[in-house]
Amino acid sequence: MSSLHLLRSELSVNPKTLLWLTIVSATSTTLVLAVVNIAAEQAQAGGAGLRLALLFVVATALYAAAQTAVTRICATEVEGLVDRLRGDVVEAIRHSDMQSLDAIGQAKSFAALTRDCQTVSRCVPMLAVGAQDAVTLLFVSVYVAWLSLAAFGAVTVFLVLAVWLHWRRMAELRQETRQAETAEMELFDGLRGMLHGQKEIRLNERRGQDVIGDLARISRRTKTAKTAIKQRWAREFAAIQLAFYLLVGVMVFVVPMVTTTFHTEAIQATTAAMFMIGPIGTVVQAVPIIGDAEHALTGLYALKDSLRGGRKVESTTLAPMAPPQEIVLSQLSYRYPDDKGDYGFSVGPLNARFRAGEITFITGGNGSGKSTFLRLLVGLIPASGGTLSVDGEIVTENRMQSYRDTISAVFADYHLFRRLYGIPPEAWQAAKPLLVRLGLDTKVRIEDATFSTLALSAGQRKRLALVVADMENKPVLILDEWAADQDPHFRRLFYEEILPAYRAQGKIVICVTHDDRWFGVADRILAMRDGTFVEEGTG
Ligand SMILES: Nc1ncnc2c1ncn2[C@@H]1O[C@H](COP(=O)(O)OP(=O)(O)OP(=O)(O)O)[C@@H](O)[C@H]1O
């Protein structure tokens, strides 16, 4: 089913309502036209009657009411649809596993949620107006046929010719539009790099010139492509208008030569042709938009499908898991998908045991698989083999979210939300002592479930991330190189006071660390190399 068909099935308005409003709009336009023609005739004979003036007022009022209703319905429907689609994609992202998300890429998801949603919001109402004007064109054509079959013949020939020529040229234009879009995306990427890389640019004049030069080149390419499209559009639009002026010329000069009866209807048919110029312009503009709307909707539906195609994590109705006393990995493994012929890195098979009230350190060189192991342990990526059990129960896909709900973590690539999502107000008060100990109480306040600022140093932000994990107060705590960017004071505080306190609270604590000076703090040390634990020791 095409995405436009899917779109129709998602609209909550009854299509018949839109159809009736469209018919009212087209009928009233045709009525206005007929009244104008009759009134002009009567004016020649001495003056138009009051009844005709009233009919004119009623027809224009009907037209305005139908137009307003269609526009209002379209705005409500389309914004509702965009809101639903955006919500669906966000939900699909939330329930999809990290592997599918990684495969899709953040840029694609972001483009769907922003650009594609905007395109649907902009294009679909124009399609509705285009469809409405197409019906108006049909009605006015019927009126012209009623006036004069010869004039109708001329109108039909011109319409068919104009539409055919237009569609032929639109196919080329669509291709050029896609190319311009690609150039524009490249430009946006370059601009993003330029903004993010300001420090690096300032430290190297030549790099700065290269970046600006490259951007200018891409920008020129985008400008050329977009200017060509706009100029082609302007020519196209002018050609269609010109075609209709030609039609008027044909009616006034040519049709009277082939028929003897036409002279009486010439002015009326010509007026009708003038009434067609507006709608034909709208229809002409709406046609290429079908492609844009279809393209954006296809992108959104495809993203939704591929997110749902991955491992789906249903969570809402699951029973909470009791605080784990022991997490056991048995032959657990994972392999990143192959990348363009290169084998994906794999971890495992991994065997390990993590107990409540124990601290485990994970060590190993760069790229040995520590972060991947943590993602696997937390269930962010699906194991390709082996099992993960909590207190003797194998954590199946259905139990994965309940399991994850027992874990707090500060990953190496953590994200700090400014709002305290998912943390109850009583925890904010309880966090005060840790904020003080971590030297953050003079920097950050919690106001209305929100941190007063995130404009902090890298070390301060990481400390704040630990405060958030602490506020969650979960039985399992996972920290990936947390102390790496802390000064000696906070490093000591972390290893000698904070971690032992968590152990005393009975938490399962797992830390990736290279700080061999504090290895004595751990109950167990697991060393990783090439994705496997090569050594197990005690602290
Ligand atoms: N999203 C990904 N897709 C494909 N391969 C990945 C991905 N993330 C990491 N890898 C690969 O997995 C390997 C291990 O990476 P990982 O981040 O787990 O190592 P690490 O031990 O945490 O390293 P570091 O000490 O540098 O943080 C790397 O060689 C990398 O090529």
Side-chain angles (χ1 to χ4, degrees):
M1 207 185 325
S2 88
S3 28
L4 285 175
H5 277 96
L6 277 173
L7 164 78
R8 219 181 57 186
S9 67
E10 287 208 27
L11 294 180
S12 61
V13 66
N14 187 345
K16 278 188 190 154
T17 312
L18 279 178
L19 184 68
W20 276 115
L21 285 169
T22 302
I23 289 173
V24 169
S25 166
T27 312
S28 48
T29 305
T30 317
L31 201 59
V32 169
L33 169 63
V35 169
V36 165
N37 273 341
I38 297 167
E41 229 174 22
Q42 288 185 359
Q44 275 181 336
L50 186 63
R51 278 171 61 184
L52 217 49
L54 267 177
L55 197 58
F56 179 80
V57 171
V58 170
T60 44
L62 265 178
Y63 171 76
Q67 265 314 86
T68 314
V70 169
T71 315
R72 195 170 43 78
I73 290 173
C74 279
T76 319
E77 280 292 322
V78 167
E79 289 316 315
L81 171 83
V82 168
D83 184 53
R84 273 196 306 281
L85 273 174
R86 203 187 286 128
D88 282 357
V89 173
V90 168
E91 267 302 295
I93 287 174
R94 191 166 90 86
H95 289 300
S96 128
D97 64 274
M98 298 293 291
Q99 184 178 277
S100 311
L101 264 185
D102 282 351
I104 289 163
Q106 274 195 8
K108 203 165 164 190
S109 305
F110 192 72
L113 287 169
T114 52
R115 193 196 56 200
D116 290 349
C117 282
Q118 265 176 9
T119 307
V120 173
S121 163
R122 181 172 47 88
C123 295
V124 175
M126 288 178 78
L127 290 184
V129 176
Q132 201 179 13
D133 278 2
V135 175
T136 303
L137 272 178
L138 186 75
F139 276 44
V140 174
S141 304
V142 171
Y143 171 71
V144 172
W146 175 74
L147 282 177
S148 151
L149 280 178
F152 175 71
V155 164
T156 310
V157 167
F158 263 78
L159 261 180
V160 169
L161 218 77
V163 168
W164 178 70
L165 273 175
H166 181 65
W167 274 3
R168 257 187 50 167
R169 287 156 73 153
M170 275 305 106
E172 294 163 28
L173 193 60
R174 216 165 290 147
Q175 177 71 14
E176 285 170 18
T177 307
R178 298 275 172 268
Q179 281 164 1
E181 265 177 16
T182 311
E184 204 168 32
M185 286 305 282
E186 201 187 333
L187 178 66
F188 290 163
D189 270 353
L191 288 171
R192 212 175 4 243
M194 189 268 294
L195 287 171
H196 282 165
Q198 276 300 307
K199 294 185 286 304
E200 289 73 13
I201 286 173
R202 276 172 170 67
L203 287 174
N204 184 334
E205 175 62 19
R206 239 176 104 176
R207 182 188 289 137
Q209 281 173 4
D210 276 0
V211 169
I212 301 301
D214 200 37
L215 269 180
R217 186 181 51 76
I218 304 171
S219 181
R220 266 197 306 277
R221 220 173 49 222
T222 313
K223 181 199 79 177
T224 311
K226 296 207 92 163
T227 310
I229 287 170
K230 292 223 158 87
Q231 284 175 349
R232 195 190 260 262
W233 247 118
R235 279 201 304 273
E236 199 61 27
F237 200 68
I240 298 286
Q241 301 266 20
L242 192 69
F244 269 78
Y245 289 139
L246 275 177
L247 169 65
V248 171
V250 167
M251 282 205 213
V252 179
F253 299 110
V254 183
V255 180
M257 289 186 211
V258 292
T259 160
T260 47
T261 55
F262 184 65
H263 62 279
T264 46
E265 291 90 22
I267 291 178
Q268 294 180 347
T270 307
T271 312
M274 300 293 254
F275 262 67
M276 288 173 146
I277 293 176
I280 195 95
T282 315
V283 173
V284 161
Q285 282 189 358
V287 169
I289 282 169
I290 296 174
D292 289 349
E294 177 121 36
H295 188 61
L297 281 166
T298 307
L300 277 161
Y301 286 126
L303 176 65
K304 229 167 69 169
D305 285 350
S306 46
L307 284 168
R308 287 187 174 157
R311 194 178 57 125
K312 205 167 148 192
V313 185
E314 296 291 359
S315 62
T316 43
T317 55
L318 298 178
M321 189 175 268
Q325 295 303 302
E326 188 179 57
I327 299 173
V328 177
L329 317 186
S330 173
Q331 298 293 99
L332 200 66
S333 61
Y334 175 75
R335 180 178 180 152
Y336 285 110
D338 297 348
D339 182 24
K340 293 177 197 131
D342 290 337
Y343 280 117
F345 180 82
S346 62
V347 290
L350 300 170
N351 296 294
R353 205 172 275 270
F354 305 98
R355 296 194 188 89
E358 281 187 4
I359 299 172
T360 306
F361 282 176
I362 312 290
T363 66
N366 293 141
S368 58
K370 302 178 298 295
S371 300
T372 308
F373 154 68
L374 290 188
R375 293 174 104 202
L376 189 58
L377 175 70
V378 177
L380 290 177
I381 45 179
S384 19
T387 58
L388 190 154
S389 321
V390 172
D391 300 335
E393 173 198 339
I394 290 179
V395 183
T396 55
E397 218 169 87
N398 282 346
R399 294 289 281 155
M400 196 50 89
Q401 187 57 47
S402 304
Y403 163 67
R404 276 204 293 258
D405 281 336
T406 66
I407 303 170
S408 288
V410 180
F411 294 107
D413 56 350
Y414 71 99
H415 177 79
L416 199 52
F417 285 100
R418 179 120 186 228
R419 259 187 101 76
L420 289 169
Y421 294 114
I423 295 173
E426 53 277 15
W428 313 343
Q429 282 305 319
K432 271 267 172 63
L434 189 58
L435 271 177
V436 175
R437 286 177 85 194
L438 291 175
L440 294 169
D441 55 316
T442 53
K443 287 276 167 195
V444 191
R445 290 178 314 283
I446 297 173
E447 293 162 350
D448 191 21
T450 307
F451 289 125
S452 55
T453 181
L454 290 184
L456 302 166
S457 74
Q460 288 166 340
R461 282 171 63 91
K462 200 88 168 271
R463 297 209 288 279
L464 198 56
L466 182 62
V467 173
V468 174
D470 187 84
M471 279 193 266
E472 288 186 310
N473 194 21
K474 307 256 194 90
V476 183
L477 181 63
I478 289 174
L479 303 168
D480 194 350
E481 297 197 49
W482 184 88
D485 34 22
Q486 300 303 319
D487 65 28
H489 167 71
F490 290 110
R491 216 173 257 228
R492 194 201 58 75
L493 186 75
F494 173 69
Y495 286 111
E496 295 182 11
E497 297 182 27
I498 295 176
L499 285 187
Y502 286 138
R503 171 167 46 206
Q505 288 168 22
K507 286 183 194 282
I508 296 176
V509 183
I510 302 164
C511 304
V512 168
T513 177
H514 299 293
D515 286 327
D516 47 7
R517 190 178 151 198
W518 279 286
F519 277 4
V521 171
D523 297 287
R524 184 180 304 101
I525 300 170
L526 297 174
M528 275 200 109
R529 196 191 306 141
D530 295 333
T532 53
F533 295 135
V534 287
E535 225 181 286
E536 179 166 350
T538 48

